[in-house]
């Protein structure tokens, strides 16, 4: 991979990171819960001073520590890129929440519509993150660490981790506020839809995206002689 392609992939990843944060903000603004990966930071941000972005940063750093415990000496050097990525992602989340501050849906249909739009946007962001193929967010790296260490299927492990995060957020909400605040039906809808949307986008446009990232010209058919 030459420097030009690497630069294009990182730019694509950073744009995808912002799209990712925009999707999370849209889902959160729908007020029907948030995505599983953001459920614990969101639950904490409801009752405490730091913003959703800051709690996301703290949670991301905690996940990196968990990876170090799981992988120990097998912790890949490139996984340290999660630290600056987490800083940028946390900033993007707070920026997205500020940009969407005008959104305050009242009726359930409006909230559900915002949730679905957020799932589509987040699915596109997840696709962009994976298509760039340079670094992953701490949530995905944690799943990778678990699946590598215990030789489990990545997809099934991700589902298990998402369920664990959502359940932990629900328990946390009950302890702190005596009610389910950060986890609602929107959390489970996003868990079901986002991955499916990312896979669908991957099937539709990934070959074209990879052509753009690598700048590989499409094969030209020879003229018939």
């Amino acid at each position: 991979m030459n420097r030009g392609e690497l630069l294009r992939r990182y730019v694509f990843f950073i744009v995808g990171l912002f799209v990712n944060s925009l999707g999370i903000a849209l889902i959160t603004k729908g007020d029907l819960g948030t995505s599983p990966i953001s459920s614990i930071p969101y639950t904490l941000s409801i009752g405490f001073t730091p913003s959703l972005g800051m709690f996301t940063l703290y949670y991301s750093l905690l996940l990196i520590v968990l990876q170090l415990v799981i992988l120990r000496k097998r912790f890949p050097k490139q996984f340290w890129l999660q630290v600056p990525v987490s800083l940028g992602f946390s900033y993007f989340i707070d920026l997205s929440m500020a940009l969407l501050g005008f959104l305050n849906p009242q009726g359930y249909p409006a909230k559900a519509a915002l949730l679905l739009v957020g799932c589509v946007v987040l699915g596109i962001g997840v696709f962009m993150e994976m298509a760039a193929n340079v670094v992953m967010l701490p949530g995905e790296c944690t799943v990778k660490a678990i699946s590598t260490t215990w030789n489990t299927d990545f997809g099934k492990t991700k589902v298990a981790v998402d369920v664990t995060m959502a359940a932990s957020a629900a328990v946390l909400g009950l302890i702190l506020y005596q009610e389910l605040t950060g986890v609602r039906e929107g959390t489970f809808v996003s868990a079901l839809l986002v991955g499916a949307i990312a896979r669908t986008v991957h099937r539709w446009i990934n070959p074209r995206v990879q052509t753009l990232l690598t700048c590989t010209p499409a094969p030209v058919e020879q003229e018939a002689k």
Side-chain angles (χ1 to χ4, degrees):
M1 188 184 299
N2 58 44
R3 290 184 179 179
E5 180 181 346
L6 192 61
L7 177 61
R8 287 190 294 274
R9 287 187 177 276
Y10 270 106
V11 170
F12 192 74
F13 174 81
I14 292 170
V15 174
L17 210 59
F18 176 71
V19 174
N20 214 324
S21 71
L22 198 59
I24 290 174
L26 284 165
I27 293 172
T28 305
K29 285 290 184 178
D31 197 29
L32 295 176
T34 189
S35 63
I37 189 66
S38 300
S39 56
I40 292 176
Y42 178 55
T43 299
L44 291 170
S45 71
I46 291 172
F48 297 92
T49 302
S51 63
L52 175 58
M54 287 304 300
F55 270 121
T56 299
L57 175 60
Y58 302 151
Y59 186 56
S60 297
L61 295 176
L62 180 62
L63 289 178
I64 295 171
V65 171
L66 178 61
Q67 295 163 33
L68 284 165
V69 172
I70 293 172
L71 294 172
R72 299 182 184 182
K73 294 181 179 180
R74 293 180 293 114
F75 187 86
K77 290 181 179 179
Q78 64 267 27
F79 271 28
W80 287 112
L81 289 172
Q82 294 175 91
V83 176
V85 165
S86 298
L87 287 167
F89 188 48
S90 301
Y91 171 76
F92 281 155
I93 287 178
D94 280 344
L95 176 62
S96 295
M97 290 294 287
L99 291 173
L100 299 176
F102 64 93
L103 289 176
N104 187 27
Q106 299 301 316
Y108 196 90
K111 293 181 178 182
L114 199 57
L115 166 66
L116 293 176
V117 171
C119 287
V120 172
V121 174
L122 182 55
I124 294 171
V126 170
F127 158 73
M128 294 178 71
E129 175 194 344
M130 302 308 293
N133 195 29
V134 285
V135 64
M136 293 187 292
L137 287 168
E140 283 74 29
C141 282
T142 301
V143 174
K144 181 71 173 176
I146 294 171
S147 62
T148 299
T149 301
W150 286 285
N151 195 28
T152 58
D153 178 75
F154 182 89
K156 292 179 180 178
T157 304
K158 179 166 175 52
V159 171
V161 169
D162 284 349
V163 170
T164 302
M165 289 178 178
S168 300
V171 171
L172 197 59
L174 289 171
I175 293 173
L176 294 174
Y177 317 116
Q178 291 74 55
E179 62 179 348
L180 290 173
T181 53
V183 178
R184 285 186 57 183
E185 59 269 35
T187 304
F188 301 100
V189 170
S190 65
L192 291 171
L193 289 184
V194 170
I197 291 168
R199 288 191 294 272
T200 301
V201 174
H202 180 275
R203 282 198 306 270
W204 285 352
I205 66 171
N206 187 59
R208 296 190 183 95
V209 168
Q210 294 304 323
T211 298
L212 288 172
L213 292 176
T214 59
C215 280
T216 303
V220 178
E221 296 181 2
Q222 291 184 349
E223 294 181 3
K225 295 182 180 180

